[in-house]
Amino acid sequence: MKFPFHSFFSLVKLVCSTRVSNELGAGNMKSARSVIKSGLCLSLSISMTISIILLCVHNMVGQLFTNDDDVILYASKITPMLSVSIFLDSIQQNLAG
């Protein structure tokens, strides 16, 4: 079974928003704030790891899909933007909650 990494951030968002709702309903503001911080830290650490790995292997990403030198060059140029997008998307997923 394939599990895309972007689904993980949506899953963290779902769990955190449910937990925050429960804590706010119970009147526990400090616990709700703690849940938000822990979910954000979890998503940030995982997205940072994925982004760093992508930045380290950005020259090899294109070779996974094709042998065409031009495509490999374009993929290596756009991979840093992809890693920044993954990082920022993980923040947005949690804060949109």
Side-chain angles (χ1 to χ4, degrees):
M1 181 174 139
K2 292 184 178 181
F3 185 75
F5 65 89
H6 60 80
S7 295
F8 176 78
F9 300 126
S10 297
L11 183 65
V12 170
K13 179 184 102 169
L14 177 70
V15 170
C16 285
S17 65
T18 303
R19 178 70 189 223
V20 167
S21 298
N22 289 340
E23 294 297 334
L24 288 176
N28 299 331
M29 297 291 194
K30 289 184 181 182
S31 296
R33 187 174 293 138
S34 174
V35 170
I36 292 170
K37 287 179 183 178
S38 63
L40 190 59
C41 287
L42 178 66
S43 288
L44 285 177
S45 62
I46 291 174
S47 67
M48 184 69 79
T49 303
I50 293 170
S51 295
I52 289 172
I53 290 171
L54 276 175
L55 287 174
C56 290
V57 298
H58 75 276
N59 291 327
M60 294 181 269
V61 171
Q63 295 173 357
L64 294 173
F65 303 104
T66 186
N67 292 327
D68 187 10
D69 291 335
D70 290 336
V71 175
I72 292 171
L73 178 67
Y74 293 140
S76 68
K77 287 182 180 179
I78 203 167
T79 303
M81 193 172 9
L82 174 66
S83 65
V84 170
S85 174
I86 290 170
F87 179 73
L88 293 176
D89 188 48
S90 71
I91 297 171
Q92 189 272 337
Q93 284 283 329
N94 278 313
L95 295 181

